[in-house]
Coordinates of all heavy atoms in Angstrom, one line a residue:
A43 N 8.9 2.9 -3.4 CA 7.9 2.1 -2.9 C 8.3 0.5 -3.0 O 7.9 -0.2 -2.1 CB 6.6 2.3 -3.7
C44 N 9.1 0.2 -4.1 CA 9.5 -1.1 -4.2 C 10.4 -1.4 -3.0 O 10.5 -2.6 -2.5 CB 10.2 -1.3 -5.5 SG 9.0 -1.5 -6.9
I45 N 11.4 -0.6 -2.7 CA 12.4 -0.8 -1.7 C 11.5 -1.0 -0.3 O 11.9 -1.9 0.5 CB 13.4 0.4 -1.6 CG1 14.2 0.3 -2.8 CG2 14.1 0.2 -0.2 CD1 15.1 1.7 -2.9
A46 N 10.7 -0.1 0.0 CA 9.8 -0.2 1.1 C 9.0 -1.5 1.2 O 8.9 -2.1 2.3 CB 8.9 1.0 1.2
D47 N 8.5 -2.1 0.1 CA 7.8 -3.2 0.0 C 8.7 -4.4 0.3 O 8.2 -5.4 1.1 CB 7.2 -3.4 -1.4 CG 5.7 -3.4 -1.4 OD1 5.0 -2.9 -0.4 OD2 5.0 -4.2 -2.2
I48 N 9.9 -4.4 -0.2 CA 10.8 -5.6 0.0 C 11.1 -5.7 1.6 O 11.1 -6.8 2.1 CB 12.1 -5.4 -0.8 CG1 11.8 -5.6 -2.2 CG2 13.2 -6.4 -0.3 CD1 13.0 -5.2 -3.1
I49 N 11.3 -4.6 2.2 CA 11.6 -4.6 3.6 C 10.5 -4.9 4.5 O 10.5 -5.6 5.5 CB 12.2 -3.1 4.0 CG1 13.5 -2.9 3.3 CG2 12.3 -3.1 5.6 CD1 14.0 -1.5 3.4
T50 N 9.2 -4.5 4.1 CA 8.1 -4.7 5.0 C 7.1 -5.7 4.6 O 6.1 -5.9 5.2 CB 7.3 -3.3 5.2 OG1 6.8 -3.0 3.9 CG2 8.2 -2.2 5.6
F51 N 7.3 -6.5 3.5 CA 6.4 -7.4 3.0 C 5.8 -8.4 4.0 O 4.7 -8.8 4.0 CB 7.0 -8.1 1.7 CG 5.9 -8.6 0.8 CD1 5.3 -7.6 -0.1 CD2 5.5 -9.9 0.7 CE1 4.3 -8.1 -0.9 CE2 4.5 -10.3 -0.2 CZ 4.0 -9.4 -1.0
P52 N 6.8 -9.1 4.8 CA 6.3 -10.1 5.8 C 5.2 -9.5 6.7 O 4.2 -10.2 7.1 CB 7.6 -10.4 6.7 CG 8.6 -10.2 5.6 CD 8.2 -8.9 4.8
L53 N 5.3 -8.2 7.1 CA 4.2 -7.6 7.9 C 3.0 -7.5 7.1 O 1.9 -7.7 7.7 CB 4.7 -6.2 8.4 CG 5.8 -6.2 9.3 CD1 6.3 -4.7 9.5 CD2 5.5 -6.7 10.7
D54 N 3.0 -7.2 5.8 CA 1.8 -7.1 5.0 C 1.2 -8.5 4.8 O 0.0 -8.6 4.9 CB 2.2 -6.5 3.7 CG 1.0 -6.1 2.8 OD1 0.1 -5.5 3.4 OD2 1.0 -6.4 1.6
T55 N 2.0 -9.5 4.7 CA 1.4 -10.9 4.6 C 0.8 -11.3 5.8 O -0.3 -11.9 5.8 CB 2.6 -11.9 4.2 OG1 3.2 -11.4 3.0 CG2 2.0 -13.3 4.0
A56 N 1.4 -11.0 7.0 CA 0.8 -11.3 8.3 C -0.6 -10.6 8.5 O -1.6 -11.1 8.9 CB 1.7 -10.9 9.4
K57 N -0.6 -9.2 8.0 CA -1.9 -8.5 8.0 C -2.9 -9.1 7.2 O -4.0 -9.3 7.7 CB -1.6 -7.1 7.5 CG -2.8 -6.2 7.4 CD -2.6 -5.1 6.4 CE -2.8 -5.5 5.0 NZ -2.8 -4.5 3.9
V58 N -2.7 -9.6 6.0 CA -3.6 -10.2 5.2 C -4.2 -11.5 5.8 O -5.4 -11.8 5.9 CB -3.0 -10.5 3.8 CG1 -4.0 -11.4 3.0 CG2 -2.8 -9.3 3.0
R59 N -3.2 -12.3 6.4 CA -3.7 -13.6 7.1 C -4.6 -13.3 8.2 O -5.7 -14.0 8.5 CB -2.5 -14.4 7.5 CG -1.6 -15.0 6.4 CD -2.3 -16.0 5.6 NE -1.5 -16.5 4.5 CZ -0.7 -17.6 4.7 NH1 -0.7 -18.3 5.9 NH2 -0.1 -18.1 3.7
L60 N -4.3 -12.2 9.0 CA -5.2 -11.9 10.1 C -6.6 -11.3 9.8 O -7.6 -11.6 10.3 CB -4.4 -10.9 11.0 CG -3.3 -11.5 11.9 CD1 -2.5 -10.4 12.5 CD2 -3.9 -12.3 13.0
Q61 N -6.5 -10.6 8.6 CA -7.8 -10.0 8.1 C -8.7 -11.1 7.6 O -9.9 -10.9 7.7 CB -7.5 -8.9 7.0 CG -6.8 -7.7 7.6 CD -6.5 -6.8 6.5 OE1 -6.2 -7.1 5.3 NE2 -6.5 -5.4 6.8
I62 N -8.3 -12.1 6.9 CA -9.1 -13.1 6.4 C -9.5 -14.2 7.4 O -10.4 -15.0 7.2 CB -8.6 -13.8 5.2 CG1 -7.3 -14.6 5.4 CG2 -8.3 -12.7 4.0 CD1 -6.8 -15.4 4.3
Q63 N -8.8 -14.2 8.5 CA -9.1 -15.2 9.6 C -10.6 -14.9 10.1 O -10.9 -13.8 10.5 CB -8.0 -15.1 10.7 CG -8.2 -16.3 11.7 CD -7.0 -16.4 12.7 OE1 -6.2 -17.2 12.5 NE2 -6.9 -15.4 13.5
G64 N -11.3 -16.0 10.2 CA -12.7 -15.8 10.8 C -13.7 -15.9 9.7 O -14.9 -15.9 10.0
E65 N -13.3 -15.8 8.3 CA -14.2 -16.1 7.3 C -14.9 -17.5 7.4 O -14.0 -18.5 7.5 CB -13.6 -15.8 6.0 CG -13.4 -14.3 5.6 CD -12.9 -14.2 4.2 OE1 -11.8 -14.7 4.0 OE2 -13.6 -13.6 3.4

Side-chain angles (χ1 to χ4, degrees):
C44 284
I45 294 171
D47 241 31
I48 291 171
I49 294 172
T50 64
F51 207 78
L53 292 171
D54 193 41
T55 302
K57 177 203 75 172
V58 169
R59 292 292 180 92
L60 285 168
Q61 286 179 335
I62 64 171
Q63 184 168 255
E65 285 186 294

